[in-house]
Amino acid sequence: MDQVITAMADALFITSNLGRIKKVNRAAQELFGFSEEELINKPISLIIDDEQVLIEAIHQHSFFQKNLQNLEVVCRTKTREKRLIAFSCSVIPKTIKGLEEIVYIGRDITARQQREQRTSAQYAITRILSESQTVKQVIPQILQSICQNLGWDLGELWTPSQYIGTSVQEHSLNAVLRCVEIWSSRVISAREFKAITWQTTYTPGVGLPGRIWIRRLPLWIQDITEDGDQRRSQPAAEAGLHAAFGFPILDDSEILGVMVFFSRDVQPKDKELLQMVGSIGSQIAQFIKRKQAEDALVESEERYRDLFENANDLILCVNAYGRFLYVNRAWREALGYSEAEIVNMNIFDIIHLEFKQDCLQRFYRVLSGEKIGQVKAAFVTKDGQTIFLEGNINCKFVEGYPVATRGIFRTVTQRLTAEEALRHQQEETERLLLNSLPAAISKPLKEEANIVEDVADVTVLFADIVGFSEIAASISAIQLVNLLNSIFSTFDRLTKQHGLQRIKTIGDAYIVIGGLPTRRRDHAQAIAQIALQMQTAIALFNTENNQNFSIRIGIHRGSVVAGVIDFNKFTYDLWGNTVNIARCMESQGIVGKIQVTEDTYKSLCDEFLFEKRGEIEVQGKGKMTTYLLIGRKR
């Protein structure tokens, strides 16, 4: 029998009913690290943390004449390392009551328990990371989960920033680590240890957190009280803490922090646990980086939303079916719909009937991935008005599927109205021009005959309103047209008064010719007079309209070719060097002055005052002497 007991793989103890050890086998000695002499006649409490619970359980089963199977008990080795032992116990009855013996047969299931704990911890942390919304929410839960699932008593987070989330590059060795989070179980009294920890900082390579930081690898300490940490070893011992391990929160070469854990027990290095927590550190780092990206995206979207809401352009976003996902403030104000109404609307509900088919085709082309340039459309407002728009649209794709079509439009209704008004004014001018031409010219025009003629002696005036472009950029199209119409109406009246002919207007430029159609011999004098009166008219206009316009005028006398360039609209025009030189006199003139060529000066110098300006370069003509018309002689 002794040989069988000695050869058993399981640990065997035989004790008295009071718990005194009477016999042990070799397996028990090897498992707990005691010799036979160190165990015989010693209480079973030498290896079992709470033998009273075990003895009571044994006697309870013995009362019912049953053996006790697989009772899991926490035991201690000679070095005080924890072991989880599954005991099968039975009572050997004796003839004399009170002399019974108890047989313990135990199997070490510590490794199995550790595997289960690691699996449980890994599952719990994965769940926490998947369900948590913020980094500050997830860190305390992870510290608690690791401690509770793996049987450790205190967990810490160390980071060089105010809280974890700011990465530090691998080459940075100047980080100062401080504890920003602690979790501890209620079974330890670690108030003094925590107080010291909050006040302690480590540099890379110093202390357990510092060594993990610089190595970027998990680290295990069997007993922290023997680690040589002058700052925390003694407080740890006073708190009953011994074993410790830690791991970096690491994403590739970027380290964000270090987690450290303590246990009341002295525990040998667990390589499998260190491997697991290394993976956990990577998971936490990925979670933090993902949350950083999400927060940055939210912040970016908020900035863009704020930009969109304050933009003057009309911005909208619809899904693949045309349902509105977003419109900005300018869109709502322009169309007149409320946010509640927009939720139930479709983009094609507000597109004008004349544009609907074209917009529908463009919409489908964008959904198919085609790039489209500028788009023209017309929307119908809530009160039935039509607004005309120009802009761009594009489509967002996710995994190859269109999820949103976005458009940015600007209102061009005023511009189109102004263009129509200018077109109408141009047509009216052309009609008046046709009616004012002599019969020799107007009759062939009306009969659509081809009419071009050389005119040997005319005087051409070019006038340009300086500063008009800057004013136009700050006012509406309607206001622009009204201002221009007011000025040109005055010029038209002066032109008619002097028997001259307005050829056309180009934007804010005004072109007049003398010598057509009446062939009056004093056309140069008439052009000079109207030029001076144009200056006076602009000054009066500025006073009445609180504006600051100036006029620049150029004049030249010579021959031209006159004729019709468009029979459909009866457009009359001039060609020749005289026209080009008059244009140069204006474009190279002085603001507020009237610049004339030498030929013009010679024909007017007897009646008008001039000031010699000097020579200017004229394209195709070289240097030409010019004069500034000052006024009429008394």
Side-chain angles (χ1 to χ4, degrees):
M1 177 60 102
D2 288 342
Q3 292 178 348
V4 173
I5 292 174
T6 301
M8 287 178 60
D10 293 335
L12 179 138
F13 292 89
I14 299 177
T15 70
S16 67
N17 64 343
L18 297 178
R20 290 278 175 178
I21 300 172
K22 300 178 66 176
K23 190 172 185 63
V24 296
N25 68 347
R26 186 178 301 278
Q29 297 171 47
E30 293 174 354
L31 175 60
F32 293 99
F34 291 97
S35 65
E36 184 175 15
E37 290 75 15
E38 291 173 319
L39 291 172
I40 296 299
N41 290 323
K42 296 297 190 297
I44 193 70
S45 60
L46 184 64
I47 62 168
I48 297 177
D49 269 2
D50 192 353
E51 86 284 359
Q52 191 61 35
V53 174
L54 180 61
I55 292 173
E56 290 178 0
I58 292 170
H59 283 288
Q60 182 179 4
H61 280 260
S62 177
F63 179 79
F64 293 103
Q65 297 182 345
K66 295 180 181 179
N67 292 331
L68 183 62
Q69 301 292 327
N70 294 321
L71 179 63
E72 296 180 3
V73 180
V74 175
C75 299
R76 300 281 178 175
T77 67
K78 184 177 180 180
T79 58
R80 304 307 294 166
E81 293 177 13
K82 288 172 61 174
R83 290 285 188 272
L84 185 65
I85 309 298
F87 280 110
S88 296
C89 306
S90 61
V91 177
I92 302 175
K94 296 290 185 178
T95 55
I96 302 176
K97 187 176 180 180
L99 296 180
E100 296 90 348
E101 294 179 342
I102 304 173
V103 178
Y104 302 81
I105 299 176
R107 177 172 300 171
D108 187 1
I109 60 171
T110 305
R112 187 195 75 188
Q113 180 199 39
Q114 289 175 341
R115 286 194 299 271
E116 292 174 350
Q117 288 176 332
R118 288 193 287 268
T119 300
S120 177
Q122 184 68 70
Y123 173 78
I125 290 170
T126 301
R127 179 182 54 79
I128 291 170
L129 292 176
S130 65
E131 295 177 355
S132 298
Q133 300 298 317
T134 65
V135 175
K136 285 195 173 185
Q137 178 185 4
V138 80
I139 294 300
Q141 294 183 40
I142 289 178
L143 293 175
Q144 180 179 358
S145 180
I146 290 177
C147 287
Q148 291 180 340
N149 284 283
L150 298 179
W152 290 70
D153 298 301
L154 186 143
E156 304 169 338
L157 171 66
W158 294 78
T159 177
S161 52
Q162 185 175 4
Y163 204 81
I164 194 165
T166 304
S167 61
V168 178
Q169 297 299 320
E170 185 175 8
H171 63 268
S172 177
L173 302 178
N174 299 319
V176 177
L177 301 177
R178 55 181 55 82
C179 183
V180 298
E181 198 77 64
I182 296 179
W183 184 90
S184 62
S185 66
R186 295 181 179 180
V187 298
I188 64 169
S189 177
R191 180 178 299 178
E192 185 66 23
F193 178 76
K194 289 181 182 179
I196 292 173
T197 297
W198 290 124
Q199 300 172 18
T200 300
T201 60
Y202 290 110
T203 55
V206 178
L208 178 57
R211 280 182 282 164
I212 296 171
W213 179 271
I214 201 166
R215 292 177 57 185
R216 284 164 166 74
L217 291 171
L219 186 62
W220 188 285
I221 296 178
Q222 187 166 326
D223 192 343
I224 192 70
T225 61
E226 300 176 0
D227 185 54
D229 185 344
Q230 297 180 356
R231 305 178 189 181
R232 297 207 300 162
S233 290
Q234 184 60 34
E238 293 173 357
L241 301 174
H242 293 280
F245 77 89
F247 59 89
I249 299 174
L250 189 67
D251 179 38
D252 294 331
S253 62
E254 292 184 315
I255 184 168
L256 296 100
V258 171
M259 280 190 173
V260 174
F261 296 86
F262 294 90
S263 171
R264 290 172 296 165
D265 302 311
V266 176
Q267 297 191 33
K269 184 176 182 179
D270 187 338
K271 293 182 179 180
E272 292 184 4
L273 176 59
L274 290 181
Q275 184 177 2
M276 184 197 78
V277 295
S279 174
I280 290 175
S282 178
Q283 283 182 271
I284 299 172
Q286 291 174 16
F287 171 85
I288 293 172
K289 300 290 278 188
R290 186 175 72 250
K291 286 300 179 184
Q292 287 177 333
E294 290 175 357
D295 292 343
L297 179 60
V298 169
E299 182 179 354
S300 176
E301 288 179 345
E302 288 177 350
R303 287 199 302 269
Y304 278 116
R305 181 173 289 271
D306 182 65
L307 177 65
F308 290 164
E309 282 300 304
N310 292 287
N312 293 323
D313 289 339
L314 277 61
I315 302 173
L316 59 89
C317 181
V318 299
N319 65 15
Y321 303 100
R323 304 284 293 187
F324 285 103
L325 301 174
Y326 169 77
V327 297
N328 70 338
R329 175 188 52 79
W331 192 100
R332 294 191 299 271
E333 291 178 354
L335 275 296
Y337 295 100
S338 67
E339 291 187 21
E341 291 172 321
I342 293 167
V343 171
N344 300 314
M345 291 173 59
N346 189 290
I347 180 65
F348 297 103
D349 294 338
I350 63 169
I351 296 179
H352 192 279
L353 185 62
E354 294 182 5
F355 288 81
K356 186 166 296 186
Q357 187 61 36
D358 181 65
C359 288
L360 188 61
Q361 292 177 357
R362 292 178 182 270
F363 185 71
Y364 289 144
R365 286 163 57 191
V366 169
L367 290 179
S368 67
E370 183 178 343
K371 302 293 184 182
I372 293 181
Q374 194 173 67
V375 176
K376 294 183 178 180
F379 289 170
V380 179
T381 66
K382 185 177 180 180
D383 58 6
Q385 296 183 20
T386 300
I387 59 173
F388 295 91
L389 307 165
E390 286 182 356
N392 300 91
I393 59 174
N394 61 74
C395 186
K396 179 182 178 182
F397 290 84
V398 174
E399 297 181 356
Y401 293 96
V403 295
T405 298
R406 295 167 290 196
I408 300 178
F409 296 93
R410 66 198 64 85
T411 303
V412 295
T413 305
Q414 288 186 340
R415 192 193 74 192
L416 294 177
T417 302
E419 289 176 354
E420 178 64 21
L422 288 172
R423 185 188 63 78
H424 179 74
Q425 184 185 47
Q426 185 68 27
E427 290 177 351
E428 181 65 17
T429 300
E430 291 162 356
R431 185 184 64 80
L432 294 173
L433 170 64
L434 182 62
N435 292 334
S436 66
L437 290 175
I441 297 177
S442 62
K443 183 177 179 182
L445 285 176
K446 294 176 181 178
E447 295 173 355
E448 299 190 9
N450 191 11
I451 177 71
V452 176
E453 64 173 338
D454 291 320
V455 184
D457 185 24
V458 297
T459 305
V460 179
L461 177 150
F462 270 80
D464 184 66
I465 302 173
V466 181
F468 195 82
S469 298
E470 289 75 9
I471 296 295
S474 63
I475 62 177
S476 70
I478 298 299
Q479 291 173 307
L480 175 64
V481 172
N482 290 336
L483 286 176
L484 199 59
N485 188 60
S486 176
I487 294 171
F488 283 179
S489 294
T490 301
F491 289 176
D492 286 343
R493 180 177 54 78
L494 293 173
T495 300
K496 185 176 180 180
Q497 177 183 327
H498 289 283
L500 302 172
Q501 181 63 52
R502 181 180 78 168
I503 298 302
K504 58 184 175 182
T505 60
I506 305 173
D508 56 342
Y510 192 90
I511 307 170
V512 181
I513 186 170
L516 283 179
T518 61
R519 303 292 199 276
R520 57 181 291 179
R521 293 185 178 183
D522 62 344
H523 54 78
Q525 288 81 357
I527 288 291
Q529 290 183 61
I530 194 175
L532 294 170
Q533 290 172 353
M534 282 180 171
Q535 289 182 323
T536 303
I538 286 294
L540 182 60
F541 175 85
N542 287 338
T543 302
E544 293 176 348
N545 295 275
N546 193 29
Q547 297 294 338
N548 190 31
F549 295 145
S550 296
I551 193 167
R552 186 173 55 215
I553 299 174
I555 303 173
H556 178 56
R557 183 172 186 174
S559 63
V560 296
V561 176
V564 178
I565 61 174
D566 188 343
F567 284 113
N568 294 323
K569 299 173 67 178
F570 302 120
T571 303
Y572 191 70
D573 210 342
L574 304 174
W575 301 272
N577 285 331
T578 298
V579 177
N580 296 332
I581 293 172
R583 187 192 302 271
C584 288
M585 291 301 104
E586 179 273 313
S587 62
Q588 298 185 46
I590 300 173
V591 175
K593 301 293 184 179
I594 304 167
Q595 181 169 251
V596 305
T597 59
E598 190 168 18
D599 291 339
T600 308
Y601 163 75
K602 289 178 179 179
S603 64
L604 295 173
C605 61
D606 292 338
E607 300 180 36
F608 293 87
L609 297 172
F610 288 91
E611 177 185 322
K612 187 175 181 178
R613 182 185 181 189
E615 293 183 337
I616 65 170
E617 188 72 29
V618 177
Q619 186 176 2
K621 292 293 183 180
K623 292 184 177 180
M624 295 184 67
T625 301
T626 66
Y627 296 81
L628 299 178
L629 174 60
I630 305 300
R632 194 178 182 94
K633 291 182 177 179
R634 298 296 179 185

